[in-house]
């Protein structure tokens, strides 16, 4: 949100601009009639400063002279209607109205201001100098840009915090991963010896365990997730306009975390995966 005002001798000019996040520039304007001829120039200034967003821009005038706020009565038109109605009454014999004012004020174009205001270059330039000239941009736009910078800094801090939390959780998986291999081996041998009570070829068992453990190996997922975390930070540091790209990277991070969960086969590791998902969300 940004707002600016300029005080002139006979009026106060108000500019207000607000925006919501959007993938493209979607600009709507509400501009006082006197300034509509400058709409293209205003739109160009906004587009250069903001690049994209759902933007609402308003420019309105507050008159200082109360007389200018009153709906004008066109005296010449009132007199013309009076003469015409009186002539028709005398010619046709139709009675003239008893309440002349009530009748005349309802006639077309009586309550109309015929003079047309034009925007002088002096006034336009004065307005620009007073409220719109920070680096050739509207002061109100600059206020909004400052607001965006503040909001962006808060988001960056939050993103870095969440990425760091996921990285720490990923590191905490290591002890359980080694423990998991021993538990798998122990569970299978116990099943063979105690539950089924059969003799087995230990060499063949080792080969089957290696095959089974390879299917549950998560080293590739850990490496890819670690790379995605670094890529996210690097992309964020590349500057503005990276939102869509960051969204894609976050999706890839989610895929690796999901694969970690499906391969973990270990209660503590699955808890860590749930925490990762929570941080990513």
């Amino acid at each position: 949100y940004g707002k600016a005002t300029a005080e002139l001798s006979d009026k106060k000019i108000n500019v207000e601009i607000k925006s919501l996040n959007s993938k493209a520039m979607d600009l709507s304007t509400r501009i006082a009639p006197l300034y509509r001829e400058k709409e293209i120039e205003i739109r160009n200034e906004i587009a250069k400063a903001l690049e994209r967003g759902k933007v609402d821009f308003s420019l309105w005038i507050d008159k200082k002279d109360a007389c200018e706020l009153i709906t004008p009565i066109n005296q010449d038109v009132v007199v013309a209607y009076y003469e015409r109605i009186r002539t028709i009454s005398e010619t046709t014999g139709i009675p003239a109205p008893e309440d002349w004012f009530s009748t005349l004020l309802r006639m077309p174009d009586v309550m109309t201001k015929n003079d047309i205001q034009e925007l002088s270059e002096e006034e336009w330039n004065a307005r620009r100098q007073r409220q719109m000239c920070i680096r050739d941009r509207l002061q109100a736009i600059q206020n909004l840009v400052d607001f965006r910078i503040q909001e962006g800094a808060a988001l960056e801090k939050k993103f870095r915090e969440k990425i760091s939390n996921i990285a720490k959780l990923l590191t905490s998986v290591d002890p359980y991963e080694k423990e998991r291999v021993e538990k798998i081996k122990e569970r299978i041998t116990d099943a063979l010896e105690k539950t089924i009570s059969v003799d087995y070829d230990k060499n063949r068992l080792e080969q089957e365990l290696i095959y089974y453990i390879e299917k549950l190996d998560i080293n590739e997922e850990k490496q890819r997730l670690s790379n995605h975390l670094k890529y996210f930070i690097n992309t964020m540091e590349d500057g503005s306009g990276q939102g869509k790209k960051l969204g894609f990277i976050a999706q890839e991070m989610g895929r690796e975390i999901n694969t970690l969960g499906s391969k973990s086969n270990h209660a503590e590791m699955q808890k860590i995966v749930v925490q990762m998902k929570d941080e990513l969300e």
Side-chain angles (χ1 to χ4, degrees), residues 12 18 20 29 33 41 62 69 71 74 83 93 101 126 137 142 177 179 194 203 216 270:
K12 182 169 76 170
K18 52 188 176 180
L20 295 172
T29 60
E41 184 176 338
D62 292 330
L69 299 176
T71 304
N74 195 322
E83 296 291 346
F101 266 111
R137 300 292 182 267
Q142 187 61 44
E177 186 179 4
E179 178 186 319
K194 298 177 182 178
N203 291 330
L216 298 178
Q270 288 172 338

Side-chain angles (χ1 to χ4, degrees), residues 202-215:
K202 291 186 177 180
N203 291 330
R204 181 58 186 269
L205 176 62
E206 291 293 337
Q207 292 176 2
E208 294 296 333
L209 279 173
I210 291 171
Y211 174 74
Y212 182 63
I213 291 169
E214 281 181 349
K215 288 181 65 177

